[in-house]
């Protein structure tokens, strides 16, 4: 890793709300800690006894979850909506600055070419314009959250 990559990693960690990140490669090890309130995230490979112990416990709650078919109809309902996706990796912002109003809210009508959000990538703020006309039904990403390429950002009901 070079210094720019390390600086970008530090900025990403501070924005994401994670308290500590450790990366280890062959000839390189880095740990980044922030002064934020601790957020505990464990990314470990589960051992066989833990998986076996978890399986019986998970079996009982699975039956009630299967009895409520609320998830499949929701997936079918979203098929009538158009998804606005992220054209790049970066940080999603709903407004130009914290004191400015949001570009769009749920229920707003938009037209093609209207700015719906900003994605910051490598210190460049890119305005994301809608390619469709319609009404915003759902905002799928929290403000100031990292987003991936092609990640759904908004659901739009065509008009």
């Amino acid at each position: 890793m070079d210094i720019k990559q390390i600086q970008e990693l530090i900025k990403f960690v501070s924005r994401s709300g994670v308290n500590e990140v450790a990366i280890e490669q062959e000839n390189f090890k880095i740990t980044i800690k922030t002064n934020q309130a601790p957020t505990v995230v464990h990314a470990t490979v589960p051992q066989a006894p833990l998986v076996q112990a978890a399986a019986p416990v998970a079996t009982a709650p699975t039956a009630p979850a299967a009895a409520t078919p609320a998830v499949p109809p929701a997936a079918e309902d979203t098929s009538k909506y158009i998804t606005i996706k992220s054209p790049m990796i970066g940080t999603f912002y709903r407004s130009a600055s914290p004191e400015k109003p949001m570009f769009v809210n749920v229920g707003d009508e938009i037209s093609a070419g209207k700015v719906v959000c900003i994605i910051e990538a490598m210190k460049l703020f890119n305005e994301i314009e809608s390619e469709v006309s319609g009404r915003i039904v759902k905002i799928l990403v929290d403000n100031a959250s990292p987003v991936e390429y092609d990640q759904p950002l908004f659901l739009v009901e065509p008009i």
Side-chain angles (χ1 to χ4, degrees):
M1 283 185 119
D2 66 2
I3 191 72
K4 277 193 163 193
Q5 290 173 320
I6 293 171
Q7 289 173 338
E8 288 297 317
L9 181 62
I10 291 169
K11 289 176 189 172
F12 179 76
V13 169
S14 67
R15 285 189 302 238
S16 68
V18 176
N19 193 31
E20 181 178 342
V21 171
I23 297 175
E24 199 170 330
Q25 297 175 345
E26 284 182 26
N27 301 337
F28 182 78
K29 180 178 179 181
I30 185 171
T31 302
I32 300 171
K33 296 180 181 180
T34 63
N35 292 332
Q36 299 174 0
T39 303
V40 179
V41 177
H42 294 286
T44 59
V45 178
Q47 299 173 357
L50 294 176
V51 173
Q52 292 173 353
V57 175
T59 307
T62 317
T68 55
V71 176
E76 291 173 15
D77 290 340
T78 60
S79 65
K80 65 183 177 182
Y81 301 131
I82 298 170
T83 305
I84 298 176
K85 296 182 180 182
S86 176
M88 65 186 68
I89 296 173
T91 304
F92 171 86
Y93 293 105
R94 292 188 58 200
S95 64
S97 69
E99 52 277 342
K100 300 247 175 143
M102 304 290 182
F103 290 112
V104 294
N105 292 303
V106 174
D108 289 355
E109 289 194 14
I110 59 170
S111 58
K114 177 172 174 41
V115 175
V116 292
C117 67
I118 290 179
I119 296 184
E120 177 192 5
M122 309 238 352
K123 299 189 185 213
L124 294 175
F125 291 87
N126 303 284
E127 291 184 340
I128 307 304
E129 297 178 353
S130 173
E131 295 180 359
V132 298
S133 295
R135 185 177 55 85
I136 300 288
V137 175
K138 188 168 187 179
I139 300 170
L140 304 170
V141 181
D142 293 328
N143 193 39
S145 297
V147 293
E148 295 292 324
Y149 171 75
D150 215 27
Q151 178 178 342
L153 303 175
F154 300 94
L155 288 181
V156 179
E157 181 179 31
I159 295 180

